[in-house]
Amino acid sequence: MVTQNVVYRPGSLEEAYRLRTDTGALPLAGGTDLMVRYRKTAGLVPDPGRPVLFIGHLKDLRRVEERAEEVRIGSCTTYTELLSQKAVPEILKRCITLLASPPIRNRGTVGGNICNSSPAGDTLPVLHALECSLVLGNIRGERTVPIDRFITGPGENALSEDEILKEIVIPKAAFSGWCYRKIGTRRANALAKISFAGLYLIESGEVHDIRIAIGAVAPTVVRSREIEKTIIRIPRTSLQRSTVEMAARYRPLIRPITDQRSTTGYRAGVTLVLIEQFLTAVLQKKG
Amino acid sequence: MKEKKKDSTAVRGGTASTSRASISGPVPRQDAPGKISGVASYIGDLCFEGMLYARTLRSTVPRARIVSIDIPAMPEGYFVVDARDVPGKNGVHMLTDEQPFFAEERVNYVGEPILLVTGPERGKIDQILRGIRVEYEEIPPVFGEEDSKNPRIPPLFGERNLFCEYEIRRGEVEEAFFDADFVFEGCYHTGAQEHVYLEPQGTAGVFDGERVTVYGSMQCPYYVKTALVGGLGWKEDRIRVVQATTGGAFGGKEEYPSIIAGHVAFAAIKTGRPVLLVFDRAEDVVCTTKRHPSLIRMRTAVDDRGAIRGMEIDIALDGGAYVGLSPVVLQRAMFAATGVYRIPCIRVKGRVFATNSVPTGAFRGFGAPQAFFAVEMHMHSLAEKLRKDPLEFKRSYLLSMGDPTVTDGRMKQEVPLPRMIDRLCKLSGYEKKHRAYKKEKTRRGIGVSLFFHGCAFTGSGEKDKIKAKVLLKKEDDESVSILVSNVEMGQGAQTTLKKIVAETLGCGLERVRYDNPDTDRVPDSGPTVASRTVMIVGGLLAKAAGRLKRRMDEKGEVKIEERYVQPPHIEWDQDTFTGDAYPVYSWGANAVEVEVDPVTFEVRVIGVWGIYDVGTPIDERIVGGQIEGGISQGLGYATIELLQKENGRLRQKNLTDYIIPSSMDFPDPVYELFSSSYEHGPFGAKCAGELPFVGVAPAVAAAVQNAIGRPVRRLPVSPEYLFEAEHDED
Ligand SMILES: Cc1cc2nc3c(=O)[nH]c(=O)nc-3n(C[C@H](O)[C@H](O)[C@H](O)COP(=O)(O)OP(=O)(O)OC[C@H]3O[C@@H](n4cnc5c(N)ncnc54)[C@H](O)[C@@H]3O)c2cc1C
């Protein structure tokens, strides 16, 4: 008995929406997560147990558009393509150069990273820090959801059975600097033990904006606007707490696990030091 | 690819020997064209008419009695093969034959084979496997040495759960400790390691009604044949074993292939069809052998002048569920226990304990890497304790010619380490860097390791067990065939052995043939292990070629046979472990420079240097390949290759989780060869295959110790280990 996988290769986004509604087919962008998740014994074709909808080739999903207030990234734009786009923020490019390896980057997409919703997805903390929103479309229309409300748990998100992630919208904002760190075991093709994204804006001696987002240390990306608010627009000279104390406020939010890649103690301890160092660096900046 | 100029392909930095033997110049690798063009047939490429596929049902629990196995009705053309289909003894012959081909009443580790499902379609086989239900009655498993003492856990092997236990004494060790001013102690742990040969394990079996042929990715065709003789209960002449082109092995294909050779042979006989069994990577990681994890306790008696009076060393290795090759691995570890140092008196105790986990086995270095990690870190730390420079301290204890070995043999050749160390220091800038890094808080460090590898089989193995025999045959067409059971597995044997024969005969390489061994055609020249192929087998071939040379003018076929004769200088007593454990030693010295990230504790290697004495290199490029590969594998072992067991199960189950280095992780090593010459090796060659792995980890660990100013006692030196070490102390 040979199970024949049904695959659809729509000619347009419209058709993709229709096929998705009619057949419940599973979208496949670059396939770098799906082909691994559904792999079988060597020599057998991966089988997700439902029809597959190829969307990676659709022009409408594979573009970068710069507008006055925002940058719109088509969900199926590959990492390699993003690296050559001027409009893509530097922090995201830095993240991409540390993600997987060239062959995977030639196929893998940001849309796939978001919809896979793994706690170790490298672009997720960056996209959280950039306060992206996601345009989800179906045959009837579109809706826009902020990324922090889209991803709800490890491998869980708010995508409906008939929807496709169409675009990632990055609002333009002024920053005076950023920091991205990925702690992995090897320099290529290694999943993160911790990933850290930090952005800040300093004007006339005051922190006008600071955003800290951390991946792989809790079921979803850790970001706290509340803690960030305790730093924003407070003259640095009157900041009451030391950076160590400020970082310690993240402690209850950092809930990493011990697994095959690292330990709870290491992940939590190193994360707090990364936060502390970032805060120190920001607060020492002139501006 | 552009052929490089001959000189520039030589080992980086050039060889330091003044007279470079003409045989050392690199030639094109003989196996490269077939492999690069895709012509070479690996096991997964084999295809026979009517061939069936097979997959294995494995134990999912670490220890249990099998209560029942519920197998759904088989569709036509599909078969189950299990212990009842083993015509001979259900035990795989290695040192003993207590490990079953298929588990019968009991399972002893997660991944142990229970049965095989064979049939024409792989998808269908998987479906059948999913439908089989095994009912287990679990038995409290043994996970560590301490469990042997727990009365609620029945021992797995013997009464004390030990596969073997040895003790060696030399000199009045009690006296040394009694007289000591103080005793310096240390405990050293090393982790398991996975081989990650590029090609997973695989075999194919063909039965023609009378004889069985097994093809496989393997190092030791005659080990496989012997195991088949036992499992089939047949006469030798009904069994044929053929090596398929082998994509890497590192010891992982020394004993393991015998198990799955049995599987395909039994399946081929039962079904009457050829059967192919090739592992998936994840399956290979979970169920094949690993490097032995070790715990080595070292105690050194030091007198009031700060001199070493004696050492007591206690080595414990985790053998997994079956004995396999563990006793020999332990012996090599024990014989290397005091490293390259002259220690007045010693007691070395060693044991291998049984656990309900995947068996550990042969792996490049074979017990020596564990021993060298312990002794090198111990000497380094003792020097620091005595406020002496570690390298100067080590230098003052170096073995030299005539000194006794652990087993009270004698160093019969010159020990070239002093000159090698000088050169290493010059290349790496060790002395200045070490001093600077000790003072500054730069988080940089540099470390040195000194090591040897005993060439070929331990003790009298070559003479009493292996008894190698080679054939050299001038064919009718005037070509010359090398007939040996040793295999090319990526290490370069096809090139080096051909060179030895061609150079001796004074003919071109193209005239010499050396095909993958087939036990119907080749005599038993022994396994492709223990860095013995060039020195022992190549040595026999050189002798045979010398004799053939005088008969090259004869018309037609000429056959020359050569058998191993132990060099007269070796004296060995296997019962008491006394005498010369190895005919000769290859030597090495490594320096490694690191930077430790102050926040993440990641160890970045910024420089690696190596000086080696492997005798005459038969091909400098091939030796260079062994060195570069051994260094990368050693750096991986030292830093990132974490393989943990949790309740008898591996935590890192595939190559997403078990991380080996990529080309981006480490700098290119700088290395040189010191060529001494060994009179009993072909053209003066000693051994080179395992040596480059052996010293890497201790050099890394010493560098990290220099960088962070705290003792390093464990491999791999992972960021988590360093983080915890730092926070435990605070
Ligand atoms: C060797 C290797 C190394 C890797 N290294 C890293 C790494 O370092 N960091 C990292 O974060 N990841 C890594 N990955 C994982 C993977 O490459 C990334 O998550 C990648 O971004 C997935 O994109 P894709 O287009 O291939 O996703 P796909 O596999 O095509 O899809 C992933 C999931 O998203 C869904 N999906 C995809 N696109 C859409 C869409 N537009 N609308 C709705 N649903 C969609 C799919 O149905 C599927 O559930 C690695 C993978 C491999 C094989």
Side-chain angles (χ1 to χ4, degrees):
Chain A
M1 188 196 70
V2 181
T3 46
Q4 197 59 59
N5 298 337
V6 178
V7 295
Y8 298 107
R9 195 171 191 279
S12 67
L13 184 56
E14 270 313 296
E15 196 189 340
Y17 284 145
R18 196 172 43 70
L19 282 165
R20 176 107 164 109
T21 305
D22 293 350
T23 68
L26 184 66
L28 184 148
T32 60
D33 275 316
L34 279 185
M35 296 296 279
V36 177
R37 193 189 311 156
Y38 296 110
R39 74 171 178 273
K40 301 215 276 183
T41 307
L44 296 176
V45 180
D47 179 8
R50 56 197 267 206
V52 170
L53 181 65
F54 283 3
I55 55 171
H57 59 288
L58 295 173
K59 291 246 152 35
D60 286 344
L61 299 181
R62 212 162 159 172
R63 50 205 276 279
V64 175
E65 188 192 335
E66 184 168 6
R67 297 190 185 170
E69 300 290 306
E70 64 202 24
V71 179
R72 292 184 160 246
I73 295 177
S75 62
C76 293
T77 319
T78 66
Y79 291 122
T80 304
E81 286 164 349
L82 289 175
L83 285 178
S84 64
Q85 293 283 340
K86 257 181 74 185
V88 173
E90 283 307 312
I91 185 170
L92 182 56
K93 285 187 177 167
R94 174 71 188 149
C95 164
I96 292 172
T97 58
L98 299 176
L99 186 148
S101 54
I104 300 291
R105 296 200 289 266
N106 287 341
R107 289 211 53 94
T109 66
V110 185
N113 206 235
I114 296 170
C115 293
N116 198 50
S117 306
S118 157
D122 279 348
T123 67
L124 304 182
V126 174
L127 298 176
H128 274 75
L130 289 169
E131 294 178 354
C132 291
S133 38
L134 309 175
V135 180
L136 309 171
N138 66 11
I139 194 93
R140 293 183 306 281
E142 291 177 357
R143 61 176 176 134
T144 303
V145 182
I147 189 161
D148 55 354
R149 279 203 269 130
F150 180 74
I151 299 178
T152 50
E156 289 164 19
N157 58 47
L159 189 77
S160 298
E161 275 298 299
D162 61 354
E163 281 178 322
I164 290 173
L165 168 60
K166 188 183 164 207
E167 280 174 334
I168 296 108
V169 183
I170 306 178
K172 283 191 179 168
F175 295 107
S176 19
W178 54 268
C179 165
Y180 177 79
R181 292 228 28 199
K182 172 178 177 173
I183 318 302
T185 299
R186 165 172 68 198
R187 296 215 190 161
N189 276 338
L191 295 179
K193 296 174 183 176
I194 305 167
S195 56
F196 177 95
L199 290 161
Y200 64 92
L201 174 65
I202 292 178
E203 265 169 12
S204 42
E206 245 178 52
V207 178
H208 278 233
D209 195 357
I210 186 160
R211 304 172 188 183
I212 292 174
I214 309 133
V217 293
T220 55
V221 167
V222 170
R223 182 174 172 209
S224 168
R225 286 171 210 243
E226 249 172 73
I227 303 175
E228 290 169 7
K229 271 195 207 128
T230 63
I231 304 161
I232 291 173
R233 288 192 200 278
I234 306 216
R236 274 181 282 176
T237 44
S238 57
L239 275 173
Q240 296 295 308
R241 299 163 188 275
S242 73
T243 51
V244 174
E245 285 172 307
M246 284 187 242
R249 303 193 63 194
Y250 280 90
R251 200 184 288 272
L253 308 176
I254 313 291
R255 289 172 290 134
I257 52 167
T258 290
D259 64 4
Q260 66 277 23
R261 283 195 282 282
S262 191
T263 61
T264 303
Y266 176 84
R267 282 178 160 134
V270 172
T271 302
L272 290 177
V273 182
L274 286 173
I275 297 172
E276 196 266 311
Q277 284 209 328
F278 177 66
L279 290 173
T280 306
V282 171
L283 296 179
Q284 282 169 356
K285 283 269 154 33
K286 296 204 179 64
Chain B
M1 203 178 69
K2 226 171 74 190
E3 233 332 275
K4 287 187 198 164
K5 268 206 327 249
K6 256 206 164 167
D7 274 6
S8 63
T9 55
V11 176
R12 216 154 312 168
T15 49
S17 64
T18 38
S19 59
R20 179 193 197 223
S22 70
I23 196 164
S24 299
V27 303
R29 274 188 74 121
Q30 301 295 294
D31 57 330
K35 286 175 177 168
I36 292 167
S37 65
V39 170
S41 268
Y42 292 91
I43 189 70
D45 297 325
L46 297 190
C47 195
F48 301 92
E49 190 157 339
M51 185 174 85
L52 304 179
Y53 296 102
R55 251 177 99 72
T56 315
L57 181 83
R58 301 180 178 285
S59 169
T60 53
V61 296
R63 189 180 196 185
R65 195 174 69 80
I66 298 177
V67 178
S68 64
I69 302 177
D70 181 21
I71 302 170
M74 282 286 135
E76 169 140 17
Y78 290 82
F79 301 86
V80 162
V81 180
D82 64 17
R84 287 164 300 180
D85 300 303
V86 181
K89 181 168 182 190
N90 185 19
V92 187
H93 184 78
M94 198 53 242
L95 298 176
T96 70
D97 41 22
E98 127 260 353
Q99 175 169 13
F101 285 101
F102 292 114
E104 256 173 283
E105 282 150 26
R106 283 163 190 282
V107 287
N108 284 322
Y109 66 95
V110 172
E112 180 159 18
I114 297 171
L115 57 80
L116 224 57
V117 174
T118 70
E121 275 175 34
R122 294 194 247 214
K124 186 81 201 167
I125 293 173
D126 282 1
Q127 208 185 338
I128 294 169
L129 280 168
R130 281 194 297 274
I132 299 178
R133 293 275 164 275
V134 183
E135 196 191 322
Y136 297 107
E137 181 188 297
E138 296 204 35
I139 304 169
V142 185
F143 289 142
E145 206 182 2
E146 60 294 345
D147 291 341
S148 317
K149 288 166 200 119
N150 184 336
R152 287 185 306 109
I153 304 176
L156 178 59
F157 187 89
E159 274 170 25
R160 298 170 55 226
N161 225 17
L162 296 181
F163 286 129
C164 58
E165 192 178 17
Y166 307 121
E167 182 170 333
I168 300 171
R169 298 167 55 101
R170 176 165 57 66
E172 301 303 322
V173 72
E174 281 82 6
E175 217 166 278
F177 276 83
F178 187 80
D179 292 346
D181 187 46
F182 75 98
V183 174
F184 184 70
E185 305 195 16
C187 259
Y188 308 87
H189 295 256
T190 64
Q193 190 183 19
E194 160 61 30
H195 303 84
V196 202
Y197 25 70
L198 269 183
E199 180 204 28
Q201 305 256 4
T203 48
V206 181
F207 179 55
D208 66 5
E210 172 58 26
R211 302 185 78 215
V212 146
T213 303
V214 171
Y215 301 84
S217 181
M218 63 178 73
Q219 293 175 242
C220 318
Y222 275 92
Y223 280 4
V224 173
K225 184 167 175 176
T226 308
L228 288 171
V229 168
L232 292 167
W234 292 0
K235 285 222 169 67
E236 279 181 29
D237 55 9
R238 288 178 67 195
I239 299 160
R240 175 178 169 217
V241 176
V242 184
Q243 181 231 354
T245 298
T246 297
F250 307 116
K253 293 169 183 172
E254 175 166 351
E255 69 273 43
Y256 194 84
S258 297
I259 303 177
I260 53 174
H263 291 177
V264 292
F266 310 143
I269 293 165
K270 178 162 190 174
T271 62
R273 307 266 289 271
V275 175
L276 178 70
L277 174 66
V278 178
F279 285 0
D280 278 357
R281 177 62 69 182
E283 181 179 19
D284 198 303
V285 170
V286 168
C287 68
T288 63
T289 53
K290 312 281 168 258
R291 186 184 297 285
H292 289 73
S294 74
L295 170 60
I296 302 183
R297 287 168 226 270
M298 310 221 20
R299 300 181 72 233
T300 299
V302 184
D303 70 16
D304 51 5
R305 291 181 337 249
I308 296 177
R309 292 287 312 279
M311 272 191 190
E312 276 186 352
I313 299 160
D314 179 84
I315 302 177
L317 302 180
D318 178 349
Y322 295 100
V323 61
L325 289 162
S326 290
V328 199
V329 173
L330 175 63
Q331 287 164 30
R332 198 177 268 276
M334 291 175 74
F335 302 162
T338 51
V340 298
Y341 308 110
R342 178 177 27 79
I343 308 297
C345 56
I346 51 180
R347 172 157 65 205
V348 184
K349 290 206 263 184
R351 64 198 174 279
V352 181
F353 55 92
T355 55
N356 286 103
S357 49
V358 63
T360 44
F363 198 149
R364 192 181 208 172
F366 209 77
Q370 292 92 323
F372 275 102
F373 173 68
V375 68
E376 285 298 284
M377 295 317 290
H378 190 71
M379 289 290 282
H380 183 108
S381 300
L382 175 54
E384 286 180 347
K385 160 111 189 160
L386 296 169
R387 302 190 177 283
K388 289 181 182 163
D389 175 78
L391 185 57
E392 275 321 304
F393 183 69
K394 288 178 177 182
R395 232 196 250 258
S396 62
Y397 285 95
L398 289 181
L399 286 165
S400 51
M401 195 147 90
D403 281 342
T405 62
V406 168
T407 53
D408 208 18
R410 290 291 171 272
M411 275 293 150
K412 300 263 159 76
Q413 291 89 10
E414 190 223 319
V415 177
L417 281 173
R419 285 181 297 132
M420 291 168 66
I421 295 170
D422 289 344
R423 186 68 191 142
L424 183 74
C425 287
K426 192 145 188 219
L427 282 183
S428 66
Y430 170 81
E431 279 145 334
K432 220 171 114 196
K433 285 178 182 170
H434 184 80
R435 253 178 280 123
Y437 295 158
K438 226 180 138 121
K439 270 195 232 114
E440 303 159 13
K441 287 262 167 267
T442 52
R443 290 257 164 182
R444 280 198 175 202
I446 189 164
V448 160
S449 67
L450 309 175
F451 50 99
F452 61 64
H453 196 72
C455 301
F457 261 80
T458 299
S460 54
E462 293 289 348
K463 175 166 78 77
D464 297 332
K465 297 219 176 68
I466 304 301
K467 302 177 185 150
K469 193 166 117 180
V470 307
L471 272 181
L472 202 57
K473 194 164 135 202
K474 182 173 82 71
E475 310 277 1
D476 284 337
D477 65 2
E478 297 298 300
S479 68
V480 174
S481 294
I482 293 178
L483 299 172
V484 297
S485 60
N486 298 88
V487 308
E488 168 67 60
M489 50 185 174
Q491 89 283 37
Q494 276 192 359
T495 309
T496 48
L497 295 187
K498 278 190 186 182
K499 273 178 92 175
I500 289 169
V501 170
E503 181 91 2
T504 310
L505 289 174
C507 72
L509 268 184
E510 62 295 338
R511 207 167 149 189
V512 185
R513 293 187 49 178
Y514 172 18
D515 298 328
N516 289 348
D518 167 345
T519 56
D520 274 7
R521 292 178 43 244
V522 303
D524 186 358
S525 58
T528 316
V529 306
S531 304
R532 66 184 286 278
T533 305
V534 161
M535 189 176 94
I536 302 287
V537 182
L540 292 175
L541 285 170
K543 275 195 199 164
R547 283 165 56 204
L548 181 62
K549 188 173 185 180
R550 298 193 287 275
R551 297 179 54 190
M552 283 299 270
D553 299 336
E554 287 178 28
K555 284 255 147 22
E557 218 183 82
V558 182
K559 255 191 187 174
I560 308 279
E561 187 190 283
E562 198 67 49
R563 285 165 188 266
Y564 180 76
V565 185
Q566 187 164 286
H569 67 265
I570 304 176
E571 284 166 35
W572 178 251
D573 181 343
Q574 179 69 23
D575 296 327
T576 58
F577 292 158
T578 0
D580 301 308
Y582 303 99
V584 67
Y585 297 83
S586 280
W587 301 92
N590 277 145
V592 171
E593 189 176 359
V594 301
E595 189 169 74
V596 181
D597 187 298
V599 176
T600 66
F601 297 91
E602 290 164 297
V603 174
R604 193 163 70 90
V605 175
I606 46 189
V608 186
W609 298 266
I611 312 284
Y612 306 90
D613 163 26
V614 298
T616 305
I618 294 304
D619 188 286
E620 282 167 354
R621 181 160 45 195
I622 281 175
V623 172
Q626 290 300 302
I627 290 172
E628 292 185 29
I631 287 177
S632 302
Q633 203 168 31
L635 291 171
Y637 179 55
T639 59
I640 61 176
E641 294 190 28
L642 188 67
L643 189 55
Q644 300 163 304
K645 286 192 292 189
E646 192 181 31
N647 299 330
R649 289 174 173 80
L650 296 176
R651 257 204 184 141
Q652 293 77 17
K653 296 184 184 65
N654 51 44
L655 296 194
T656 307
D657 298 334
Y658 185 78
I659 303 278
I660 59 167
S662 75
S663 58
M664 286 173 71
D665 288 275
F666 301 123
D668 286 346
V670 175
Y671 53 89
E672 284 185 359
L673 293 177
F674 257 61
S675 302
S676 64
S677 183
Y678 173 53
E679 60 170 324
H680 297 286
F683 297 90
K686 300 194 288 190
C687 66
E690 294 169 276
L691 178 79
F693 178 87
V694 174
V696 182
V700 172
V704 173
Q705 183 157 328
N706 181 221
I708 63 174
R710 284 168 201 277
V712 174
R713 294 283 176 271
R714 186 181 284 274
L715 292 180
V717 190
S718 69
E720 285 78 8
Y721 165 59
L722 295 178
F723 174 86
E724 274 148 35
E726 181 137 323
H727 288 79
D728 279 353
E729 268 180 46
D730 292 349

